[in-house]
Structures are given as structure tokens and as C-alpha cells.
Amino acid sequence: MGNEYRIALAGNPNTGKSTLFNALTGLRQHTGNWAGKTVSMAQGSVPFKDKVFQLVDLPGTYSLFSNSKDEEVARNYIVFEKPDVTLVVLDATSLERNLNLALQVLEMTKNVVVCINLIDEAEKQGIKINEKLLMNRLGVPVIKISARNKIGFPLLLDTIDRIITGAIECHPAQMKYSDEIEEQIRKIEPKVREMVGDRISSRWVSLRLLDGDEALLNELNKRFVPEGVR
């Protein structure tokens, strides 16, 4: 349907990601398994203005390097299924640890919202978070919320809506690596781009191939290389 948009929720375990999913979707959700996987999958809908946001609660992971089935499922959904917006849920009380996943997502996809959850807990601990500074550094919207108490939900939903309509443009910050790695990326990225076109980030794929990510290479072969050529 033309007014339905897919929103992926990514985050470390215990950041309140599933609490946010449940609070937004209520009873409008169902669970199952990812195709061909034993990893559970939860989906739910959120009506907003003239649209319906179809939320997909990705498995909680500390990284997206396909070291486990959970990581592979979450990574593949963001990269290959191309949700309209990806929400990365961070724990306000341990931002430093959580930001690693956010930076990985920013390398993979453009339309990202960083949700800083448990903001009420952070305030109790005297932690102050400058979301405007973070927004400037990351290049995407940063919203402070409390999923448990439903604080920040109107702004979060409005931000998703404005990204979908194009009123907000995301310009994710790109990590810069050592001169040696950047040189290797420059060498192989043109070949990667020939294979994947603009369907996924050729820079991100280049980085993963340099890291020896065989699971990703297998996935690329399945999706982009004709059977007779493999």
C-alpha cells in the first residue's frame, strides 16, 4: 500500500528497543521467524497522520559484522531489504558503548534516526546529553526518549514522517580510516560498484570485504551474481 512505510529498530540488547517497539505498536503486532532462520521476528504497525509505519524489531546485537545469526539477520535486513527509516536505539546511561552500533548503521544506510532511550534514568544519574551536538556530529536526527514512560514519542514519530516526506534530509557522518585502509577502499570500490550499483553502499561493502566477511560475500553472490556466472 502506498501509505505504508517500513521502519527497522536496531540496538544493543537491554537498550529498551523492544520496550519502544511494544509501546508504539501495542496490540497491533505479531511474531514469527525470519525466513530460513530460527531467529524470532516481531512486526507491528503504528498509524500516524495519513500513514502507517510498519515497525520491524530486529534482533538485539552489539555489532553488525555477521558473527552470529542475530547479527546476520539484522545486517541483511538493513542492507538488502532497505527499510524506509532505521531507528537505532541507544541507552542514555552507556552511550559510549552503544554508539559503536550506531556508527556501523550510519555506514550502511542513509535514513537513520538515533533514539537515546532511558533519558529519565540518565537524568537521575546526573548525565546530561547534548542531542544537538550529537546531531551535528552524526548528520542524522537524534531524539531523546523514555520508551517506558512514552516520553518523546510525538517528536520521534514526526521526525520519521518528515524523513519519509523529504522534509528532513539525512547526511550520515562517514568514518575515516587509516591512510592504508582508505587506499585499499579506493582500489576495490569501483569493482564493487560495478557489481552492486547504487542498490547498497559500495564503500560499506568494500570495508566488509577488506575485513574478510565471507558471510557477506556469500550473500552478495546469492543476490547479485546470476546463477550461471557463480
Side-chain angles (χ1 to χ4, degrees):
M1 290 176 63
N3 70 334
E4 289 193 359
Y5 299 89
R6 290 175 305 139
I7 315 299
L9 272 70
N12 291 176
N14 305 313
T15 56
K17 175 177 62 65
S18 293
T19 303
L20 174 61
F21 173 82
N22 290 327
L24 287 170
T25 60
L27 298 175
R28 299 179 302 275
Q29 60 173 268
H30 62 275
T31 57
N33 280 357
W34 293 89
K37 309 284 183 186
T38 55
V39 179
S40 63
M41 167 189 189
Q43 293 189 75
S45 61
V46 183
F48 186 74
K49 295 183 178 177
D50 58 341
K51 301 177 182 66
V52 176
F53 300 151
Q54 295 291 351
L55 268 58
V56 178
D57 188 15
L58 300 176
T61 61
Y62 291 106
S63 82
L64 295 170
F65 292 151
S66 68
N67 295 318
S68 69
K69 288 296 180 191
D70 283 0
E71 290 184 15
E72 198 174 309
V73 162
R75 190 272 309 279
N76 285 353
Y77 187 82
I78 293 170
V79 173
F80 297 114
E81 301 305 323
K82 300 174 97 52
D84 296 287
V85 179
T86 300
L87 306 185
V88 186
V89 183
L90 312 183
D91 178 350
T93 66
S94 54
L95 268 190
E96 187 176 354
R97 184 182 66 188
N98 287 190
L99 273 168
N100 181 44
L101 185 75
L103 292 172
Q104 289 178 36
V105 174
L106 291 176
E107 288 189 314
M108 294 159 61
T109 187
K110 180 182 177 186
N111 288 345
V112 177
V113 178
V114 173
C115 298
I116 302 182
N117 188 31
L118 299 165
I119 198 66
D120 43 351
E121 290 299 318
E123 286 171 0
K124 286 179 192 171
Q125 295 179 32
I127 298 170
K128 296 188 187 303
I129 294 168
N130 186 336
E131 71 271 30
K132 290 183 180 174
L133 178 61
L134 271 175
M135 199 166 356
N136 289 335
R137 295 275 177 89
L138 299 177
V140 298
V142 176
I143 311 292
K144 294 196 289 192
I145 66 167
S146 169
R148 185 177 50 201
N149 297 313
K150 300 188 177 181
I151 294 168
F153 282 16
L155 178 58
L156 174 59
L157 293 172
D158 187 60
T159 300
I160 295 170
D161 182 62
R162 292 173 68 198
I163 289 174
I164 288 168
T165 61
I168 291 177
E169 277 196 34
C170 298
H171 300 282
Q174 293 297 298
M175 292 281 289
K176 290 293 179 191
Y177 296 90
S178 69
D179 290 345
E180 183 183 358
I181 292 173
E182 291 292 342
E183 177 61 26
Q184 294 304 318
I185 292 169
R186 279 192 290 275
K187 285 181 182 175
I188 68 173
E189 190 174 358
K191 297 185 178 75
V192 171
R193 195 178 294 114
E194 282 178 23
M195 180 185 188
V196 303
D198 59 1
R199 290 171 287 186
I200 58 179
S201 166
S202 54
R203 176 181 170 85
W204 175 78
V205 172
S206 301
L207 277 165
R208 301 308 319 132
L209 294 181
L210 284 172
D211 202 41
D213 191 333
E214 290 187 17
L216 176 63
L217 188 56
N218 293 336
E219 198 68 34
L220 291 169
N221 278 326
K222 277 197 298 184
R223 292 175 183 267
F224 295 127
V225 179
E227 281 194 30
V229 183
R230 290 178 204 167

